[in-house]
Every structure is written in C-alpha cells, then in structure tokens.
Amino acid sequence: MPCNWSGFIDPAVAAQYGVVSFDWSNGRSMWSNRRPMDDEQMMVRQVAQVKAINPATHCWVYRNQAKALPWMQTVREKLLDP
C-alpha cells in the first residue's frame, strides 16, 4: 500500500509487485483541492497506469466502508440524493 501525498506513485515501481493497494492518501494534494473532489477517479487512473505496465499486477482500491466520505463520486452521489 504505497503512499505519495503529492501525486501518483511511480507506476513502474508499483508494477514490480504482485499486489498493490491504493487508498485515499495517494495523490491527496491533487484530488483534495478539486471541486468536486475526485479521489475515486484518481485511484482508478493510478491502477490503469500500473496495469498498462504490468497486467499481472493485482491492484486494489481501498474505499472506506466504515464512514461515508464525499471524496468519492459514487459515495457523494448517494449522500446528495434526496
């Protein structure tokens, strides 16, 4: 579970591992300054970068399921739906 607050992890480095898990902290300085915040899309983009280098790397995206945070589009849509 690599973390780079300022941006994406180097996908070439992440692609060297068998399993990589990305969470909200990866690229936080990029997504947290956007409105609406797009953490979920950023994690998926990071996974796509890794898979493009090594399709055999298993990539996981961690979404906090204990607390609903609007950082992720799919969660935000549910929170804002009357």
Side-chain angles (χ1 to χ4, degrees), residues 4-80:
N4 179 3
W5 285 69
S6 64
F8 284 143
I9 295 294
D10 180 350
V13 172
Q16 296 176 29
Y17 295 91
V19 176
V20 180
S21 177
F22 297 103
D23 73 351
W24 64 271
S25 59
N26 195 47
R28 184 176 184 195
S29 68
M30 295 177 357
W31 64 259
S32 64
N33 290 317
R34 295 185 180 147
R35 297 297 179 262
M37 290 184 267
D38 61 349
D39 178 34
E40 187 170 32
Q41 290 83 350
M42 297 278 291
M43 289 188 290
V44 171
R45 202 168 352 169
Q46 176 80 86
V47 166
Q49 291 175 352
V50 173
K51 295 296 267 184
I53 295 169
N54 184 357
T57 297
H58 296 279
C59 296
W60 299 342
V61 173
Y62 173 78
R63 294 174 175 92
N64 186 346
Q65 296 195 4
K67 182 177 178 183
L69 299 168
W71 306 339
M72 296 171 207
Q73 180 181 353
T74 53
V75 174
R76 184 172 49 255
E77 289 171 354
K78 307 241 182 316
L79 292 173
L80 296 177

